[in-house]
Amino acid sequence: MGKILVTGGAGFIGSHTVVELQNVGKEVVVLDNLSNASEKSLERVSAITGKKVPFYKADILDREALEEIFSKEDISAVIHFAGLKAVGESVAKPWEYYENNIAGTLTLVDVMRKHGCKNIIFSSSATVYGDPAFIPITEECPKGVCTNPYGWTKSMLEQILSDIQKADNEWNVILLRYFNPIGAHKSGTMGENPNGIPNNLMPYITQVAVGKRDHLNVFGNDYDTHDGTGVRDYIHVVDLAVGHVKALKKIEEKAGLKIYNLGTGQGYSVLDIVKNFEEANGVKIPYEITERRPGDIATCYADATLAKKELGWEAKYGIKEMCEDSWRWQKNNPNGYQ
Ligand code: NAD
Ligand code: UD1
């Protein structure tokens, strides 16, 4: 096995995955255009692993840059995180999302095959299930109608990568459908670093806790759930990162085409998260109930038994650790990596 190219490796999930890869002795090369990340995250990775992180500041749309990386480095597999991920922004800027995520991935895959590297792990999302046909969601659950261009880029890229694998079975393609990643590395030195007002629940809560926002808006309490607020499957980012290490092993064993849910199998409501965060950290999170957010669904959680059976992977961290670790990162780094 040669080196592992991690695209988007300076980002939230990518940087945590680089830690876990280096911890098991993998040789990693990171590519990121830093459009939504800071190179400092990689210094933090090095401080944890004691290893250098070879880094290329490059764009997946830049064919020449990719050619250079694949010519210089002996890359045997790609873990592909690079992409734009803000749901609301994708509605306002669909062209930019399709260009970056889809054209970017097509360019990457073309350069990969020209260099004989036909192993890829792709960051997909539970968003491809749309409003899920059944709960808990297994991989057999039909893909649904996405409510925004971001979701469609994931759904379409799953189709594109699957078709490429079916046409040429030298390819090994693993599609990982993440549920809701939160938490941070135990050290408190790495974590999620959103630009502007956070869209997602946990970074919003930690910004309320640190005093940057005065209260949380809870988007609707009239859903058909135990307390009326939306239920999701929150998963610790370190568990998610370890899932990629396991998927890589599967690639090395010639995976063909595989799809796995990466979730805990456990659903928590918005108010459950608020309560757990307050209890775990001894801080108060004031909140107000507001209108539902357009496009939201009531309930989404995984049946994660396939990943356990085929990858030997299972989430280890519970909600308490997710809340503690998210808070440790935010408290120690009120302005993220700045
Ligand atoms: P992130 O924004 O922290 O990481 C993505 C990284 O990709 C960033 O560092 C960004 O600078 C880089 N990037 C974007 N476009 C690029 C391009 N054209 N060329 C090179 N680099 C580029 O996001 P994340 O939360 O770490 O997510 C990683 C992946 O997982 C994304 O593909 C995202 O869509 C997917 N995902 C995330 C979640 C989540 O809740 N965080 C859920 C499901 C799927
Ligand atoms: C969102 C995206 C989804 C993406 C996922 C992970 C939407 C419609 N979907 O999912 O495509 O894959 O993030 O990145 O944005 N909430 C509040 N107040 C807030 C923020 C959130 O009440 O300020 C609620 C939401 O209504 C939801 C839950 O918290 O019930 C989780 O929200 P969020 O963290 O945004 O994740 P998802 O909606 O699951």
Side-chain angles (χ1 to χ4, degrees), residues 18-326:
V18 174
V19 169
E20 299 308 318
L21 289 167
Q22 289 195 325
N23 278 347
V24 296
K26 297 287 177 195
E27 270 203 84
V28 175
V29 174
V30 168
L31 171 161
D32 199 299
N33 68 1
L34 302 181
S35 62
N36 194 39
S38 161
E39 207 178 325
K40 285 208 180 112
S41 65
L42 299 177
E43 293 169 15
R44 307 282 172 93
V45 170
S46 283
I48 291 167
T49 64
K51 291 174 186 161
K52 278 203 175 135
V53 184
F55 175 61
Y56 291 87
K57 183 172 184 293
D59 198 299
I60 50 169
L61 284 156
D62 183 347
R63 183 180 287 273
E64 274 175 30
L66 293 176
E67 285 286 354
E68 191 194 323
I69 296 169
F70 277 86
S71 304
K72 271 196 191 155
E73 310 276 357
D74 169 30
I75 309 286
S76 61
V78 176
I79 306 184
H80 179 33
F81 294 103
L84 297 174
K85 63 158 188 178
V87 170
E89 185 184 63
S90 80
V91 176
K93 296 181 175 174
W95 187 87
E96 283 75 5
Y97 271 66
Y98 289 117
E99 164 83 350
N100 191 77
N101 293 3
I102 295 189
T105 302
L106 288 175
T107 309
L108 171 69
V109 164
D110 192 33
V111 174
M112 285 174 69
R113 63 181 181 177
K114 285 194 174 132
H115 288 263
C117 173
K118 296 184 177 179
N119 297 314
I120 189 166
I121 296 172
F122 175 64
S123 299
S124 188
S125 167
T127 200
V128 302
Y129 294 113
D131 194 350
F134 52 83
I135 299 280
I137 306 171
T138 67
E139 293 79 357
E140 300 288 303
C141 183
K143 284 166 76 179
V145 175
C146 298
T147 52
N148 55 75
Y150 163 73
W152 282 121
T153 68
K154 294 295 174 195
S155 192
M156 290 177 190
L157 282 168
E158 282 200 353
Q159 186 68 47
I160 290 168
L161 293 171
S162 300
D163 289 342
I164 287 169
Q165 195 283 332
K166 281 175 201 153
D168 173 359
N169 63 17
E170 283 179 8
W171 276 93
N172 295 296
V173 171
I174 298 189
L175 309 175
L176 296 178
R177 294 176 176 163
Y178 312 154
F179 282 68
N180 291 53
I182 60 170
H185 191 268
K186 283 269 172 256
S187 61
T189 61
M190 298 173 54
E192 193 169 5
N193 187 27
N195 280 327
I197 303 172
N199 296 302
N200 298 118
L201 180 63
M202 185 53 86
Y204 204 103
I205 289 179
T206 59
Q207 290 200 4
V208 171
V210 84
K212 279 192 169 178
R213 323 246 159 232
D214 59 69
H215 71 278
L216 169 72
N217 292 309
V218 174
F219 299 145
N221 66 349
D222 56 352
Y223 286 104
D224 183 17
T225 62
H226 66 274
D227 61 16
T229 66
V231 167
R232 298 290 184 273
D233 185 337
Y234 297 91
I235 173 165
H236 197 294
V237 65
V238 171
D239 275 330
L240 199 60
V242 171
H244 292 76
V245 177
K246 302 281 187 184
L248 196 59
K249 187 160 166 281
K250 189 83 182 167
I251 289 258
E252 287 163 8
E253 295 161 7
K254 300 271 165 254
L257 172 65
K258 296 280 181 189
I259 303 178
Y260 299 106
N261 286 339
L262 295 184
T264 64
Q266 180 92 34
Y268 289 97
S269 73
V270 178
L271 295 181
D272 290 337
I273 296 296
V274 169
K275 188 162 160 276
N276 275 283
F277 190 91
E278 291 181 335
E279 282 174 8
N281 298 315
V283 289
K284 200 83 199 127
I285 305 297
Y287 67 86
E288 280 174 23
I289 307 291
T290 62
E291 291 293 292
R292 288 182 176 195
R293 179 172 65 180
D296 272 359
I297 54 176
T299 303
C300 174
Y301 59 91
D303 178 326
T305 47
L306 190 67
K308 184 174 180 188
K309 191 169 147 233
E310 295 193 5
L311 299 179
W313 173 88
E314 175 172 38
K316 281 200 303 216
Y317 297 108
I319 198 65
K320 184 164 182 278
E321 283 151 313
M322 296 185 220
C323 290
E324 286 170 352
D325 296 343
S326 291

